[in-house]
Every structure is written in C-alpha cells, then in structure tokens.
Amino acid sequence: MEQGGRRIPEATVARLPVYLRILYDLAEQRVPTISSERLAELAGVNAAKVRKDLSHLGSYGTRGVGYDVEYLLFEMSRELGLTHDWPVVIVGVGNLGHALANYRGFSDRGFPVAALVDADRSKVGEQVGALTVRHLEDLPAIVAETGAAIGIIATPAAAGQEVADALVAAGVRSILNFAPTVLTVPDDVSVRKVDLAVELQILSFYQQRRTGARRPPDRLGTTR
Amino acid sequence: MEQGGRRIPEATVARLPVYLRILYDLAEQRVPTISSERLAELAGVNAAKVRKDLSHLGSYGTRGVGYDVEYLLFEMSRELGLTHDWPVVIVGVGNLGHALANYRGFSDRGFPVAALVDADRSKVGEQVGALTVRHLEDLPAIVAETGAAIGIIATPAAAGQEVADALVAAGVRSILNFAPTVLTVPDDVSVRKVDLAVELQILSFYQQRRTGARRPPDRLGTTR
C-alpha cells in the first residue's frame, strides 16, 4: 500500500472512521469476516458504496466470503494514520476546553491531549488533570516539545482566527475548530469544523415539522 | 410558507444552519442583500447549490440584487423551528455531560438545557449550574414538566440504547447522540450522531499523508 499516491475522495475519507468503529466491534466479538452488505447495513450506506470505498484502500474482499475483519482493520488503521498516537494541543480552556481535555474518547483512540493553552493570563498555571495551562505565546515551544500534530480550537468565535494563525505559525497543520467562525488557513493546512448547535438546529427542523408547532416568534431578531 | 408540505432533501436541511449563521453575521453587520455567489463562497458550496437549497424555502432572490438578508433570515429561522426555544434534557452527567450543560452555545441559540439526568444514584442531587441532577427513572415526569423536546445522550456506548429507549418512552422524538454506538429507534424519532474522535481521525488521515510518517504500528491491536 503506497502512501499519498492514490487520491481518496473526501466523502470516502469521512466514512472510513465509521467503518473502522464497526470493524473494531466485530473484531472484539471475534467475527472473522464480513460481507459488504452487512457492513453497509451497519454503516447506514449502500453496499455498492462500501465496495467502492474499500477498493480505494486496495481491499476487494472474497466473493461469497466477504472481507477479512482483522486485515481490513489493519489496512484501515494504517490508512487513517492510527497506528501511532497523534498528540493534540487544545487552545481555549473554558467549559468546552475543559470537557475536551477530560474527554477520554480522544486518548483512547490515539489522540492524547499533550498541552492546554489559553490567551488569558488568569488561566495560565491552572491544573487540569495532569496538565498545566500554558500561555498562547508559548505555542511554538509547546509544539516543539510535545510534537503536537493537531490543534483543537475551543475559543469563542472572535478569537478563532488569531488562534488558527498562532497554530499554523507554530507548525501545526491539522486543526479541529469548535469556534463558530470560518477560518482562513494556508492550503497545506487541514481544518475540520464542529458546530454542536448545528446538530440541534437540524433536529429542531424535523421536530418543528413533526409537531407542527407554531408558537409566536419570540426569538426572532436575537442573534444566535 | 406551508409546514410539512414540501419535502426538503436531508443534505439541504444540513446546510440550512450554515446559511443561517452567515445570515446572522450579515444582519449584524447591517448588510441588506447578498448574492447567491457570495453566500456560496461564505458557505463553501457552489452558487447553483445555494439557489437550489433556498428555492426549497420558496426564496428565489432578485436578479442583480440577490436575497434580502433580513427576510431570508426570518424564513430560515421559521423553517428551522428557531422562532421559539426547544428545551433540552441531557442524559449522562460525566465530563461531556457537564461540558454540554455549561456550554452557552446551546441556550444562546434557543436550546436551553432544562434538565440533567443520570442513571448513577451517586450523581443524583449534584448541582450543575442552576440544575440538579435527577434520576433516569424520573424521565417521564421531567419531560412532562419541562416540555423537553430534544434528548442529548452523553453516556458511554454501553448505556446508549437503554437511554434512547427511556427517552422515546418518555415522549422525546429528537435525539442528539454522543455515545459512540448506533441506536435503534422508531421511525418517527430523529437521531443525529456526533462522534468527536471521528473528526480527529479524518485529520490524522490527511496528516499521515502529508507527513508521510511511518512510525512502528505500536497501537495496532488495541481497541479505540
């Protein structure tokens, strides 16, 4: 399997973690093989898409048998860069930053939180678990010391771009952005955005249609 | 504008909150109109898609002028059910539950956290901000009292399905699931899933390709 050689479509990349989680579950249950149909069902996509996605990894399965779970898990972990840890630096140690710092799901899956950073000097020195909050201006040193590969921005919207600039200047090339703002970064930097309220808005769309509720527009005109 | 009449594609629904945020920013800056091209640029999609998406809301803009920002904001808020608040109940008051309970982004955007629930009796009675943690078995009473429309599951994976069943039994029809497990729910229940580690895995895919790093597979075989 060659690195960086084949183009894998973005939508496929976004589905790989979904397959990965399913494969881990299957491996834990000692299921030896899985058909594309079953994998598709578990992932909530169609079987043709599964076969296409996996063919990008060079995996074609065996007719009548399906895919070897352990081998597919190995291939996918390698492709996703999960065969070693990627240290993470979290910038912004408010409520969300604290939660992310304490979220075991990150370190369990190979993304240990290596450093916490804030621009607010009153937060510098605060102890959060095993880590001490450091100042934003120390970011280049922190990245050099910890080998942090991924920066998580957990600041308010207004600070997002400044923090992104600081991360990029410190050498970070992967950013997970929780600040509700669009970031401008160089072409060689990857940004993923998480907006928790967007998911609630999508739910409220369906809820609204379901209930047909039409209460007075008491919230219009407010900024959210 | 009629309710529940037109089918709006899921992908369009998922983009509406993105447009909404942009429109709020524009309205704050007192920008009166916006072209589909500019809106597309800000949203990171193409202009034809913007026009198609907005046509589902019955908005067509004016040639050479574009869309009226305030009016589009009004229509979109109404369509997304954001003209009134939707109270939220959070089940699972661990690290993530605490963070979500304290996350101002929810209440600011019309999703006030109305109740906190846990199955662990040692957590019941704990004070988190203005709320007291209550027991999972009180869920029907809590939903009736608060009018909670949306349930947020912030438990470990193993508890996810049980909590989803309890929410559905209590009358909740919209679920935001942070537990890393696939939920089975009746057809009239909407579920959105947020997996924070998935975003990091997608970043690590690109990071891996970028750096070409090939460290030893020290994490293979571990479950994450």
Side-chain angles (χ1 to χ4, degrees):
Chain A
M1 198 162 39
E2 271 166 35
Q3 183 113 31
R6 286 154 291 111
R7 271 289 294 151
I8 300 191
E10 250 179 75
T12 296
V13 174
R15 280 189 293 270
L16 296 184
V18 178
Y19 300 140
L20 186 76
R21 183 183 292 284
I22 294 165
L23 291 168
Y24 271 121
D25 287 349
L26 294 168
E28 254 184 20
Q29 296 158 33
R30 313 235 168 256
V31 175
T33 58
I34 186 162
S35 66
S36 54
E37 288 77 13
R38 179 66 184 140
L39 186 51
E41 199 186 321
L42 292 169
V45 298
N46 68 57
K49 193 161 275 179
V50 167
R51 286 190 292 268
K52 184 90 205 246
D53 284 345
L54 298 185
S55 75
H56 285 296
L57 303 184
S59 290
Y60 297 92
T62 307
R63 185 177 293 274
V65 177
Y67 297 87
D68 183 284
V69 169
E70 284 288 349
Y71 186 67
L72 195 53
L73 195 52
F74 168 78
E75 277 190 313
M76 206 167 293
S77 299
R78 192 166 63 170
E79 199 70 28
L80 280 166
L82 301 177
T83 52
H84 58 81
D85 284 354
W86 296 101
V88 163
V89 52
I90 296 176
V91 185
V93 192
N95 276 321
L96 184 63
H98 268 103
L100 296 174
N102 289 319
Y103 184 53
R104 235 164 301 157
F106 288 161
S107 53
D108 283 356
R109 288 195 268 169
F111 302 99
V113 177
L116 302 175
V117 170
D118 207 291
D120 178 354
R121 294 209 179 268
S122 74
K123 287 187 179 157
V124 172
E126 187 192 329
Q127 200 70 19
V128 180
L131 296 171
T132 306
V133 177
R134 298 174 66 179
H135 195 269
L136 184 63
E137 68 189 19
D138 296 337
L139 207 47
I142 293 165
V143 170
E145 282 163 31
T146 60
I150 299 177
I152 297 185
I153 301 180
T155 66
Q161 185 62 52
E162 184 200 349
V163 168
D165 293 345
L167 284 166
V168 170
V172 172
R173 287 291 170 273
S174 297
I175 294 175
L176 182 58
N177 180 29
F178 285 88
T181 186
V182 175
L183 300 177
T184 306
V185 296
D187 282 348
D188 66 336
V189 175
S190 306
V191 176
R192 299 285 303 182
K193 193 169 182 253
V194 177
D195 188 329
L196 298 175
V198 161
E199 297 299 327
L200 290 176
Q201 291 175 345
I202 293 170
L203 285 172
S204 93
F205 171 84
Y206 292 109
Q207 180 81 18
Q208 166 90 348
R209 298 221 143 194
R210 194 179 296 121
T211 61
R214 278 306 193 89
R215 289 190 251 158
D218 52 308
R219 293 203 45 110
L220 275 184
T222 66
T223 300
R224 45 177 86 165
Chain B
M1 197 162 36
E2 272 166 35
Q3 182 113 31
R6 287 154 289 109
R7 272 285 297 148
I8 300 190
E10 250 180 72
T12 295
V13 174
R15 281 189 293 271
L16 295 184
V18 179
Y19 300 140
L20 186 77
R21 183 184 293 283
I22 294 165
L23 292 168
Y24 271 119
D25 287 348
L26 294 168
E28 254 185 17
Q29 296 159 33
R30 312 234 168 258
V31 175
T33 59
I34 185 161
S35 66
S36 53
E37 287 77 15
R38 178 66 184 141
L39 186 50
E41 198 185 321
L42 292 170
V45 298
N46 68 56
K49 192 160 274 178
V50 167
R51 285 190 292 268
K52 184 89 203 248
D53 284 344
L54 298 185
S55 75
H56 286 296
L57 304 184
S59 290
Y60 297 92
T62 307
R63 185 176 293 276
V65 178
Y67 297 88
D68 183 286
V69 169
E70 284 288 350
Y71 185 68
L72 195 53
L73 195 52
F74 168 78
E75 276 191 313
M76 205 168 291
S77 299
R78 192 165 63 171
E79 198 71 27
L80 280 166
L82 301 177
T83 53
H84 57 81
D85 284 354
W86 297 101
V88 164
V89 52
I90 295 175
V91 185
V93 193
N95 276 322
L96 184 62
H98 268 105
L100 297 173
N102 289 319
Y103 184 52
R104 234 165 302 156
F106 288 161
S107 55
D108 284 357
R109 288 195 266 171
F111 302 99
V113 178
L116 301 176
V117 169
D118 207 292
D120 177 355
R121 293 206 181 269
S122 74
K123 287 187 180 161
V124 172
E126 187 192 328
Q127 200 71 19
V128 180
L131 296 171
T132 306
V133 177
R134 297 175 66 180
H135 195 268
L136 184 63
E137 69 189 19
D138 296 337
L139 207 47
I142 293 165
V143 170
E145 283 163 30
T146 61
I150 299 177
I152 297 185
I153 301 180
T155 66
Q161 185 62 51
E162 182 200 351
V163 168
D165 293 346
L167 284 166
V168 170
V172 172
R173 287 291 170 274
S174 297
I175 294 175
L176 182 58
N177 180 29
F178 284 88
T181 186
V182 175
L183 301 176
T184 306
V185 296
D187 281 347
D188 66 335
V189 174
S190 306
V191 176
R192 298 284 303 180
K193 190 167 184 256
V194 178
D195 188 331
L196 299 175
V198 161
E199 296 299 327
L200 290 176
Q201 291 174 346
I202 293 171
L203 284 172
S204 92
F205 170 84
Y206 292 110
Q207 181 81 20
Q208 166 91 348
R209 299 222 141 193
R210 194 181 296 119
T211 61
R214 278 304 192 89
R215 288 191 250 157
D218 52 308
R219 291 203 47 109
L220 274 183
T222 66
T223 301
R224 40 175 92 167

